[in-house]
Amino acid sequence: MKSMSKMLPGVIALAAATVLSLTGADVRAQDKTITLCWAAWDPANALVELSKDFTTKTGIKMKFEFVPWTSFADRMLNELNSKGKLCDLIIGDSQWIGGAAEQGQYVKLNEFFDKEGIKMTDFAPATVVGYAEWPKNTPNYWALPAMADAVGWTYRKDWFAKPELQAEFKKKYNRDLAPPKTWTEFKEVAEFFQGRMIDGKKVYGAYLFTERGSEGITMGVTNVLYPMGFKYEDPKKPYAMDGFVNSPDAVRGLEFYKALYKGSTPPGLTNAYMTEGLDAFKSGQVAMMMNWFAFFPGLYKDPNVGGDKIGFFVNPSDKAKGVQLGGQGISVVSYSPNRNEALQYIKWFANPDVQKKWQAIGGSSAAKAVLNDPAYPKSSPFAQPFLDSMDMVVDFWAEPSYAQLLLSMQKRVHDYVVADKGTAKEALDALVVDWKKVFKDDGKAK
Amino acid sequence: MHWWSTGRRSSRTTARRSDGQAQAKHGMSTPAALVARAAQATPAGVASRMRGLSDRAIAWLFVAPTMLLLLAINIFPLIWTIKLSFTNYRANRPNAAVVDVGIDNYVSVLTDPDIWLAMQATAHFLFWTILLQVLIGFALAYLIDRKFRGHGFWTTMILIPMMLSPAVVGNFWAFLYQPQTGLFNYAVSFLSGIPASSFEMIGSVKLAPWAIIIVDTWMWTPYVMLICLAGLRSIPDYIYEAAEVDRASKWRQFWSITLPMVLPFIMLAVLFRGIENFKMFDMVNLLTSGGPGSATELASITLKREAFEKWRTGYSSAFAIILFVAVFGLANIYVKALNHVKNR
């Protein structure tokens, strides 16, 4: 007893120290703020809401740096290249992963995933390859799939349902006026609507991506090129592009995209991307619109063109299926002074319950816990087309030189499709020359 | 309000008094006496600190901060860019080995057909914007100089476009050029009867280069007008009066007095607009992004793409140096011509 009383002050001191240190740790955690960088769009707003749960759970505050899509790559790649400390977490485009991994800009997450029990098999395979792996198809992970996305289509369900249009279309094409399944059908439907008067207003067939400055026209044209047989390289011989990039099928695809652009789109859409597409559809200009699935929840809620008036369909096929992959993974920036807190966020975000909430409030989860849920296909009118799309996605080059490759394609395709310069074969031949030079400079091709 | 002016006045009076006292005391006004007086007027502490420093050294002390600033923000980046232009350096690959490639980058730039297309687009843009701005700007200045009723109001109205941000101008002209809803197409349609949606100002390869010329002319003609107006107002009235006495016609007065005397001002405006438009980026980038295809891809847009999108830092440094030498060389020749005209 005596010895206990002797020890008491020490025990009290130790307990006090423990309490103080724990409180101190808590205070420190509450003082910590991490910054998440992404593009400024609807899902980013949903992520702000979702992240409040993370702050509640961990005490780590969140700051957000959202940049408009048109300058997103410029701004964020500048930040990474200058070893900036602005972003602790970054939801970067899928094409950046090669460069960011090779230049050590992202933290490699394999050890962290193993330690925390995060399995990449819990995510849709296409998103893992597209958003997390570098080199592709190897188990080297630099991101957690965060925002699953692909190109999809909306259409004016109310216009398609008009009996007089149904009858006229059937008479002309001997089939029902319905969302097209092939590119041939698509062209017919688009031409059918082009210049037609509906509800006293002149409307147009389709909206396609044509933007010149960043990635727009490439993200558009590939949706025709992939199904028609375009390949980035010889599957048996990496970086061998002759006869694949400029194959007769690829030429046909490029010519087809130009024919659609010239004959089925509203005038003036010579440099148009996501926002212009949303404007065209919301203002009732077009019967069908190409855009990213990420925008579809917002469109579905639109008071003028949403609800019963809007329908969704998967990218049409041709000799094959294929659609452009969008979306991003979330990575920890290696220059971040708050790496542990950023990793905590990744761990929290990977949780299936968080992924379900992410999906529910306007994000787009890549987790199988969400996508394989039996209720998912019926959760929204675009859920099934999205699932179908994720089975056939193809991504652009994710090489460290992706920007050079992308800008060459932007130039060659825009020159041919919008500026009427040369032929499709010449455009694709020039593209092969450009790309070969890039890979030669990188030491990857002769 | 007046306390400081009173103070200044009294300090000046004091200085005058002490000057007078010093002059009276020394009874001389030679340079040596002036120096002695200056030294006397300098507080003792400062004088002792400065003692031993020559005038030249003190002059250098004053100039040094500006020189250092210039070196840091102008000369050093220029030298660094020249150095990078001989390498394969890429700013997005800081860990990669930097290899000296000699003049390869310069050869690549000068033999790249896309670069020459960009230079052609730039030359077209430069020529027409300067021509139109000088013609319209001078005509407006000539009108405003007549000092008609309300000329002050109209001067202010004309100046509004040049007060706007190029980014704003680029964005709203993109809306004005919209074939379906844009006011520009509507106005053309109203005046000519051509259907508004039958032509695309920024979507057509033929019209897009003119679309950016129109916007730049709209925005910067007021600037040229201001310079020309300054030139017109600098001509003394008595020259015209003398011409009137000599019974010179208005036409003769214009060609023999007005134009020659305003010419240095016009040449100055051409120099300013030429340099500005050679590096035109913001407005055109927002209006057309260099499209359709590459129809409006000016040299500065190509340079930006190479440097900050493709990250070919060495290559783009070589391109930047070539552009710099071209502008610097042309500007020097032009300034010599300008001085020649001024000295006539």
Side-chain angles (χ1 to χ4, degrees), chain A residues 247-414:
Chain A
S247 65
D249 283 334
V251 170
R252 184 172 64 96
L254 188 53
E255 286 169 348
F256 193 89
Y257 197 75
K258 181 171 181 167
L260 285 179
Y261 165 71
K262 293 286 178 194
S264 312
T265 60
L269 293 181
T270 54
N271 187 26
Y273 197 19
M274 309 176 236
T275 317
E276 291 83 357
L278 297 174
D279 290 344
F281 193 80
K282 284 179 182 177
S283 61
Q285 276 191 75
V286 290
M288 299 178 286
M289 177 194 65
M290 163 190 275
N291 223 317
W292 299 102
F293 273 97
F295 291 111
F296 293 177
L299 276 176
Y300 186 56
K301 288 180 198 157
D302 188 272
N304 298 320
V305 297
D308 292 341
K309 292 180 181 170
I310 193 170
F312 305 88
F313 61 94
V314 73
N315 194 48
S317 61
D318 191 75
K319 61 189 288 185
K321 286 183 174 182
V323 66
Q324 179 59 48
L325 177 72
Q328 301 89 31
I330 183 167
S331 301
V332 177
V333 177
S334 58
Y335 316 119
S336 160
N338 306 310
R339 183 179 292 197
N340 288 336
E341 289 75 15
L343 287 168
Q344 276 191 62
Y345 188 92
I346 299 260
K347 182 186 169 189
W348 168 81
F349 190 71
N351 184 296
D353 290 334
V354 175
Q355 287 288 314
K356 281 177 187 164
K357 187 170 179 187
W358 171 226
Q359 180 71 35
I361 66 171
S364 180
S365 174
K368 285 181 181 170
V370 174
L371 301 177
N372 291 351
D373 186 330
Y376 177 77
K378 299 221 182 296
S379 63
S380 69
F382 43 85
Q384 188 59 53
F386 179 69
L387 281 180
D388 296 341
S389 297
M390 292 313 284
D391 285 338
M392 58 191 214
V393 285
V394 183
D395 200 5
F396 188 76
W397 295 106
E399 296 281 332
S401 295
Y402 97 91
Q404 265 181 275
L405 301 164
L406 179 64
L407 288 172
S408 292
M409 186 150 180
Q410 285 287 107
K411 177 179 168 58
R412 299 302 174 195
V413 173
H414 207 270

Side-chain angles (χ1 to χ4, degrees), chain A residues 74 78 81 103 204 212-213 266-268 270-271 285 401 403-404 407 411-412 414-415 418-419 421 437 442, chain B residues 90-95 114 117 179-180 200 202-203 205 288-289 292-294 297 304-305 309-312:
Chain A
D74 276 4
N78 262 320
N81 293 333
Q103 292 304 315
Y204 301 90
R212 166 73 175 88
T270 54
N271 187 26
Q285 276 191 75
S401 295
Q404 265 181 275
L407 288 172
K411 177 179 168 58
R412 299 302 174 195
H414 207 270
D415 268 347
V418 180
K421 191 174 168 186
K437 188 172 182 317
D442 286 355
Chain B
R90 282 165 183 266
N92 66 337
R93 297 183 198 174
N95 305 329
D114 292 336
L117 283 177
Q180 297 175 78
E200 297 174 4
I202 53 177
V205 178
T288 64
S289 298
S294 308
E297 190 171 315
K304 188 257 182 181
R305 281 187 175 146
E309 291 178 20
K310 295 182 179 177
W311 295 100
R312 299 171 76 191

